[in-house]
Amino acid sequence: MKPILPRPRLENLIGSRLAKYPVVAVLGARQTGKTYLAKRFASRPENHFDLENSYQAQALTENALTILGSLEGTVVIDEVQELPSIFPALRVLADREPTVARFVISGSVSPRIIQGISESLAGRIATLEIGGFDLDETGTENWERLWLRGGHPPSFLDDTDEGSMEWRANYLERLFGRDLRIWSNLSLHPAQTRKLMTLITDCTGRAWNHSAAAKLLELDVKTIQRYVDILDAAYLIRLLPPLEVNIRKRLRKAPTMHVRDSGIAHAMLAIQSRQRLEIHPRMGQTWESFCIDQIIRMTETRPEYCYTFSLQSSSEIDLILDRPDGRFGFEIKTSENSRPNVSDRNLVQSLGLTALHQVRRGSGLLDLGDGLFSTGIEAIPKVCAEIRGES
């Protein structure tokens, strides 16, 4: 099933980066529409290469400079992590004067790609991280479906909840049984990987501790840490570090764990229907992770600017975007009738927040004064557009 929903903002981002850089890397989890987006930029059919195609991978392994050097326009290379040796060739081609061709590369595992970028393409490449569909693309009226099924195009677009769940189950089976073992070169059994991901899903939206996880799973702490790093690198999870500020209160220093795609979280929790989701004990946590992922992606905020904030006194802000153009806070609420308290107003001032949004289900954007807003999920795309500098 193709991701048939238009994604103009992402296409514009790729296009604007191509105008400035000879190489653009489109990174993200598997099956989030990277190939569909990148392929649209190929100047002609022969300018598209899929490195999971053994014939094309072998040809570029043996003669990348000659093959790619003969092409003009925009060249697209998918699943570039399968052939790390291609990066030196891309450096040579990117340095040609005049610029004969530009390259869009895509990949699903960041360490191999980032290493190639840092060693061969520094200063020549722009990166763009994408996920599945967001509320801008699905329409805000479809937020419940997007929350339940997640943003992977085949999952979101399936005709039934049953079909969507089946797709996600197959996705996870391949991920645990094949992909993660190939990408990581570690020997953890698929059943152990699934067990770790189950624990992570159970902890989504909560503080994460490697040592506690290692004890529960009866594994070495370093093994847990390596696998968490791999899951993060595969764009499956997100660890939000605490924002460290100089205030006279005790801060909680543990990062917060989030499963990036709510549909994947719901597959791990065996939640297929909206009715089951509403009564599940982890409903509030998957709602929080869903909102955080949507906000980070729609504001186009770089990972190093994303934090959580929590005090020992229980005051907390689920997401802080500490951007160069301002510091924005988001508290995620499951109730549609939540209201700020005195500590919320104090945090706006003590943290120097441009705004603090209490994100709830529903619609509407209410200005509560003192930089506080009650913001329905349907208003989040508009808020995100304003944060990224669009009216």
Side-chain angles (χ1 to χ4, degrees):
M1 184 180 295
K2 292 184 178 180
I4 57 175
L5 296 182
R7 309 186 80 174
R9 182 169 55 82
L10 291 178
E11 289 187 27
N12 289 339
L13 285 172
I14 295 173
S16 64
R17 282 163 170 73
L18 271 176
K20 298 178 181 179
Y21 294 88
V23 186
V24 174
V26 180
L27 309 177
R30 278 196 182 277
Q31 296 289 311
T32 50
K34 299 185 304 298
T35 297
Y36 179 83
L37 279 169
K39 195 173 180 180
R40 295 169 69 87
F41 287 87
S43 298
R44 53 189 67 86
E46 57 268 29
N47 280 25
H48 177 248
F49 297 86
D50 181 359
L51 295 184
E52 289 194 328
N53 178 311
S54 58
Y55 174 78
Q56 292 188 339
Q58 183 63 33
L60 289 181
T61 299
E62 296 173 353
N63 212 1
L65 272 175
T66 300
I67 295 172
L68 298 177
S70 67
L71 301 174
E72 298 180 357
T74 302
V75 179
V76 174
I77 306 173
D78 279 325
E79 303 301 344
V80 73
Q81 77 276 352
E82 302 292 338
L83 189 60
S85 62
I86 202 170
F87 287 103
L90 288 175
R91 177 183 59 80
V92 173
L93 297 172
D95 285 345
R96 290 179 297 179
E97 291 289 349
T99 301
V100 178
R102 295 180 183 270
F103 299 87
V104 177
I105 62 176
S106 74
S108 307
V109 194
S110 64
R112 296 184 184 183
I113 299 172
I114 297 303
Q115 182 179 356
I117 289 172
S118 62
E119 292 178 354
S120 301
L121 294 173
R124 304 170 177 87
I125 188 168
T127 60
L128 175 64
E129 182 182 315
I130 74 165
F133 291 140
D134 62 40
L135 286 164
D136 258 339
E137 296 157 347
T138 64
T140 54
E141 69 277 8
N142 293 309
W143 66 265
E144 292 176 291
R145 180 178 182 177
L146 186 61
W147 173 29
L148 176 65
R149 296 186 176 191
H152 287 79
S155 176
F156 178 81
L157 294 171
D158 200 278
D159 293 335
T160 66
D161 287 344
E162 293 81 5
S164 171
M165 177 63 87
E166 181 181 7
W167 183 89
R168 281 174 276 147
N170 291 332
Y171 177 91
L172 289 169
E173 183 177 355
R174 169 172 170 161
L175 191 72
F176 298 142
R178 175 187 179 274
D179 291 344
L180 288 175
R181 286 194 294 173
I182 293 173
W183 295 341
S184 66
N185 295 320
L186 296 179
S187 58
L188 202 61
H189 190 274
Q192 292 176 301
T193 309
R194 181 178 285 274
K195 195 173 180 180
L196 172 59
M197 189 66 186
T198 300
L199 178 60
I200 286 172
T201 305
D202 191 59
C203 288
T204 193
R206 294 159 57 187
W208 176 259
N209 184 288
H210 289 306
S211 298
K215 187 174 182 180
L216 283 170
L217 298 177
E218 299 181 341
L219 292 169
D220 181 77
V221 173
K222 291 184 178 179
T223 299
I224 293 292
Q225 187 169 0
R226 285 199 301 270
Y227 260 79
V228 167
D229 289 343
I230 290 163
L231 294 170
D232 185 23
Y235 304 100
L236 292 169
I237 64 174
R238 187 193 308 275
L239 273 172
L240 283 181
L243 179 71
E244 296 186 8
V245 291
N246 186 23
I247 61 176
R248 295 181 179 178
K249 294 183 180 179
R250 295 184 65 186
L251 303 176
R252 290 179 178 165
K253 297 185 178 181
T256 303
M257 174 66 74
H258 293 282
V259 178
R260 292 193 183 209
D261 184 82
S262 56
I264 295 300
H266 293 153
M268 293 298 303
L269 295 168
I271 299 172
Q272 179 172 286
S273 67
R274 180 61 194 276
Q275 291 76 15
R276 179 168 169 78
L277 175 58
E278 285 293 342
I279 62 173
H280 198 279
R282 296 290 176 263
M283 180 269 287
Q285 293 168 223
T286 75
W287 170 247
E288 179 181 326
S289 294
F290 166 72
C291 292
I292 284 173
D293 184 66
Q294 291 288 308
I295 292 165
I296 290 174
R297 292 199 287 116
M298 285 193 291
T299 56
E300 300 169 11
T301 301
R302 296 176 64 91
E304 60 266 29
Y305 298 151
C306 301
Y307 298 91
T308 186
F309 178 82
S310 182
L311 297 174
Q312 296 287 358
S313 62
S314 296
S315 296
E316 64 179 10
I317 298 177
D318 300 309
L319 173 65
I320 291 181
L321 305 180
D322 195 19
R323 296 163 57 97
D325 53 355
R327 180 179 285 176
F328 303 85
F330 297 86
E331 291 180 353
I332 314 302
K333 305 292 186 181
T334 54
S335 170
E336 295 186 27
N337 300 310
S338 60
R339 287 292 183 268
N341 53 39
V342 174
S343 65
D344 293 323
R345 297 184 186 277
N346 291 339
L347 285 175
V348 172
Q349 186 173 26
S350 61
L351 295 177
L353 298 179
T354 303
L356 175 58
H357 292 270
Q358 291 194 333
V359 182
R360 52 181 168 74
R361 293 188 276 182
S363 60
L365 176 63
L366 302 176
D367 187 341
L368 304 174
D370 300 323
L372 280 161
F373 298 85
S374 175
T375 309
I377 187 65
E378 294 183 29
I380 282 295
K382 181 177 183 295
V383 170
C384 292
E386 292 174 351
I387 290 175
R388 65 176 186 259
E390 301 175 13
S391 57

